[in-house]
Amino acid sequence: MSETVLLGDEAVALGAVHAGLTAAYAYPGTPSTEITEYLIRYRRKHGTPIAQWCANEKTAYEEALGVSFAGRRALVSMKHVGLNVAADPFMNSALITINGGLVLAVADDPGMHSSQNEQDSRLFADFARVICLEPSSHQQAYDMTREAFDLSERFQIPIMIRLVTRLAHSRGNVTTAEPRPENPVAKSATPASWILLPANARRQWRALLERQPEMRRYTASCPHNTVTGADSPAPFGVITTGLARNYYIENIEDLGVAPPHLHVGAYPFPADMIRKFVGGLRRVLVLEEGYPYLERALRGVLPPNVDIEGRESGHVPPDGELNPDIVRASLGLKSRPGLTIEGLTLPPRPPQLCAGCPHGDSFHAVTAALAGFPDAVVTSDIGCYTLGALPPYNAIQSCVCMGASVGMAKGAAEAGLHPVVAVIGDSTFLHSGVTPLLDAITEDTPMTLLILDNKTVGMTGGQPTIRPSSQLEDLVRGLGVPADHLHVLDAHPRHDAHNTAVLRREVEHRGLSVIIAVRECLETIKRGKQEQVAARA
Amino acid sequence: MKFDIILAGVGGQGVLSVSAIIASSAMHEGLSVKQSEVHGMSQRGGEVQANLRLSDKPIASDLIPRGTASLVLSMEPLESLRYLPYLSPTGTVLTSTDAVANFANYPDLEGLLARIRTLPRAILIDAERLARQAGSARATNMVMIGAASSLLPVTLETIEHFVGTLFAAKGARVVETNLKALAAGREAAVGR
């Protein structure tokens, strides 16, 4: 046993290592990135486990499934919207008889600090009918991840660990326990259960449904779902999930009498336990980070004469991240005044591209090339370059999900808009841009794909792209883009006039063209230099 | 004892290094620590803050409630004012006077500093100049830790130890520069 200070993400990573992890796969995504970064550093030092970045979340999940098939323990981690990409293998893996423990760590982003939405992954676990554990502290992040591998092998299902930004990116103390060795290689003894042909799948689905009562017995008796102060004379009860517990505890002193409190950290939620907890209470406040998931479910569990208050009823804001002050207000406590300076309004300071960023030069070229085309459309994507939507660039008109710029450009062009440019980063292109490009190549759609190749996954901190920049041109040519409409440009401002001219020529071309604008991210250049200095010192 | 700090600044100013050094020092001295950070998109030249909570008892929330923080420690004057609602009426604002005017309508700096001086407990530090005198403008964040050190519930010796640890890989000269910056910040704040 030893005590250490870790990010919530790192606590998950170390918990997995100490559970006998053989391999971890992921695609970078805030706030989940630091799980794999920790494991990659761990491997450099200790030689194990396998820890790799993958092309996208779907491939990562499938690689983890293969490890489980081989009888060994696998961790796959991603941000909440990454699970949309991996939804196909995730949903189907619930029907497979999992062999080696398979744990999916998903980091949700309530409040959308770095995301397009704030979807709640607990619903995905429910959708797949598997167990979800939700830590509310760093220690739980470590302990629950360890336990999740055991549960996965016991119930033969994948287990979800649901994190949120504030736990993923906060540091706290963790006491570690004795590490467990890795599983030996032992191929699945029920290979037919991995072949989801309809006849097998129907049998597997039934088996999964038949295991639901056992899962509920586990969550009703596990230490993650706990009642405190059941005999409290307070006129209402409080149910918390995840980090809401901490914000509730932060305010408890000011309540006078602490209400009876049920905390739910393991799902499927224990309905009988909740019914018993509520007992004769007439009012229950449900505090949960994310969707009103439990609150909604309780409307079918508790008698109609119990007032259920939460995000859906309007007693807690329906969107955004919880914090101690929101919870305080929902408990009926007065807010505490801070300091103010009268009559001073502070201008916001939005994020922006770094000074000298190659993306900025590319956006200038795009805007210049499209001058005089009032109907020009620039679709774009997920990454640092999404900041091209803001002043001074105002250069892009869409950002939906990984790879959408390419497919949307094709649709917009085929619907009759011209010219249409899709702007996508190199890593996002490799993640989800290649397949829609195949569609556009097949139709020779009149659109221009501009790949901003900064040789890194920039926004998440400079991870390597799945294939190096040097192979991008060959890849695109190999897909079938005609050579005379495929250009590689140096995205340096001294080539601005040339680059603008090439872009102008290609947006006027009534067919598909691809332009790769290459210049390395300033941050990775800087970091490369720092590493060299550190190596010399 | 509880000491909650809002660390503020602009992406790239080293706010997380400041937080890490204070957090490590507090833990070394046996305090409970929770440190909430901002990663990802907002780090790109936008407003950045970290919540750092130190206590001799277990800490529940990663986030600091409004009206309760002991210190706003800011690397940038405008950013020091953004988190005033979180500061206790008896709390201190400690800020660098070096503006990062990376957007068009940045307010008049002298007026801004004058407003900060009207707060009940405000300490303004000419941090970048002190860092240059110590040997490197990049040590500005160490000047700010030094300036905060007499308010923090940890000893200067422990802070010095962790500054040394953080920069050890970069060589003895870098460590020395940062320790000098730390001392200059402390002197500037205490000697006011």
Side-chain angles (χ1 to χ4, degrees), chain B:
Chain B
M1 190 287 299
K2 140 185 125 57
F3 198 91
D4 289 343
I5 310 167
I6 306 259
L7 293 127
V10 179
Q13 280 194 309
V15 171
L16 291 185
S17 307
V18 171
S19 186
I21 286 175
I22 299 175
S24 307
S25 303
M27 269 177 293
H28 183 77
E29 297 196 359
L31 296 176
S32 295
V33 172
K34 277 208 174 182
Q35 179 194 358
S36 180
E37 309 171 356
V38 174
H39 297 208
M41 178 171 264
S42 31
Q43 280 180 298
R44 299 275 168 271
E47 51 202 60
V48 170
Q49 60 138 327
N51 281 208
L52 179 58
R53 312 194 72 187
L54 317 177
S55 175
D56 54 8
K57 297 187 193 66
I59 302 161
S61 165
D62 298 279
L63 296 175
I64 299 169
R66 282 173 177 255
T68 64
S70 304
L71 175 66
V72 168
L73 172 50
S74 179
M75 308 296 296
E76 206 277 347
L78 175 65
E79 296 307 314
S80 76
L81 296 175
R82 215 179 282 286
Y83 308 101
L84 285 185
Y86 289 89
L87 195 63
S88 150
T90 59
T92 304
V93 171
L94 170 59
T95 183
S96 157
T97 55
D98 307 309
V100 179
N102 63 348
F103 61 101
N105 55 339
Y106 193 92
D108 167 60
L109 180 61
E110 283 314 311
L112 194 65
L113 297 179
R115 298 303 290 270
I116 298 171
R117 289 195 185 93
T118 65
L119 291 167
R121 272 157 296 275
I123 305 174
L124 289 81
I125 301 287
D126 193 353
E128 194 181 318
R129 186 177 59 83
L130 293 175
R132 280 186 200 287
Q133 284 172 4
S136 167
R138 292 176 66 180
T140 303
N141 51 0
M142 296 303 124
V143 172
M144 292 309 293
I145 300 181
S149 60
S150 63
L151 300 170
L152 299 173
V154 289
T155 63
L156 183 63
E157 290 68 37
T158 307
I159 296 174
E160 285 171 341
H161 168 75
F162 283 101
V163 170
T165 310
L166 181 70
F167 294 104
K170 293 185 179 170
R173 269 189 56 193
V174 177
V175 172
E176 192 192 326
T177 300
N178 281 283
L179 287 174
K180 269 170 79 178
L182 187 78
R186 186 174 175 100
E187 194 182 321
V190 174
R192 286 164 69 249

Side-chain angles (χ1 to χ4, degrees), chain A residues 416-427:
Chain A
L417 288 171
H418 184 82
V420 179
V421 179
V423 179
I424 191 169
D426 48 347
S427 187

Side-chain angles (χ1 to χ4, degrees), chain A residues 82-103:
Chain A
L83 184 51
N84 299 336
V85 178
D88 205 357
F90 169 64
M91 291 299 294
N92 294 322
S93 69
L95 273 66
I96 287 164
T97 304
I98 287 298
N99 188 22
L102 175 62
V103 173

Side-chain angles (χ1 to χ4, degrees), chain A residues 77-356:
Chain A
S77 52
M78 57 195 66
K79 67 183 295 176
H80 57 328
V81 286
L83 184 51
N84 299 336
V85 178
D88 205 357
F90 169 64
M91 291 299 294
N92 294 322
S93 69
L95 273 66
I96 287 164
T97 304
I98 287 298
N99 188 22
L102 175 62
V103 173
L104 163 66
V106 190
D108 289 357
D109 189 18
M112 294 178 260
H113 297 277
S114 286
S115 308
Q116 319 93 289
N117 76 25
E118 55 179 21
Q119 68 187 53
D120 185 331
S121 296
R122 292 177 300 169
L123 279 83
F124 245 129
D126 189 349
F127 195 16
R129 311 299 297 266
V130 298
I131 291 172
C132 169
L133 302 180
E134 185 179 20
S136 57
S137 67
H138 299 78
Q139 186 64 50
Q140 277 197 331
Y142 173 85
D143 292 338
M144 283 179 167
T145 305
R146 284 196 69 145
E147 186 189 351
F149 284 96
D150 296 338
L151 290 172
S152 175
E153 289 172 5
R154 174 175 149 199
F155 289 99
Q156 300 178 308
I157 53 170
I159 306 287
M160 177 189 289
I161 300 282
R162 185 219 184 197
L163 299 167
V164 294
T165 305
R166 287 298 166 187
L167 183 57
H169 285 170
S170 116
R171 283 178 208 279
N173 297 47
V174 173
T175 303
T176 58
E178 191 58 36
R180 172 194 180 280
E182 290 181 39
N183 289 351
V185 175
K187 207 166 129 182
S188 167
T190 58
S193 79
W194 290 71
I195 306 169
L196 293 177
L197 276 166
N200 291 347
R202 281 191 284 268
R203 189 179 62 240
Q204 292 296 118
W205 175 231
R206 209 172 307 119
L208 178 64
L209 295 177
E210 282 165 0
R211 263 172 291 159
Q212 298 294 315
E214 196 191 335
M215 292 183 207
R216 282 196 292 272
R217 276 196 294 280
Y218 157 74
T219 58
S221 60
C222 74
H224 311 312
N225 298 333
T226 51
V227 173
T228 46
D231 306 328
S232 162
F236 69 107
V238 175
I239 300 178
T240 59
T241 71
L243 291 193
R245 167 158 75 182
N246 304 343
Y247 305 143
Y248 170 63
I249 291 172
E250 192 72 33
N251 285 294
I252 218 165
E253 239 174 44
D254 296 340
L255 280 172
V257 179
H261 173 208
L262 168 67
H263 179 75
V264 177
Y267 309 83
F269 63 87
D272 290 340
M273 187 180 187
I274 294 175
R275 255 186 233 110
K276 187 168 163 239
F277 166 77
V278 172
L281 291 170
R282 285 290 167 266
R283 184 158 75 90
V284 180
L285 176 66
V286 186
L287 299 168
E288 48 193 331
E289 191 75 284
Y291 283 15
Y293 169 65
L294 202 55
E295 180 191 354
R296 276 185 169 190
L298 292 188
R299 294 185 201 287
V301 167
L302 297 177
N305 63 345
V306 179
D307 289 333
I308 302 167
E309 299 179 347
R311 285 185 182 267
E312 187 151 87
S313 72
H315 292 82
V316 181
D319 61 342
E321 189 182 22
L322 292 181
N323 61 41
D325 301 303
I326 289 172
V327 168
R328 188 174 178 83
S330 69
L331 289 164
L333 294 170
K334 274 192 15 205
S335 67
R336 283 172 289 224
L339 277 183
T340 46
I341 294 186
E342 289 304 318
L344 186 70
T345 43
L346 298 176
R349 190 192 298 267
Q352 51 187 271
L353 293 175
C354 305

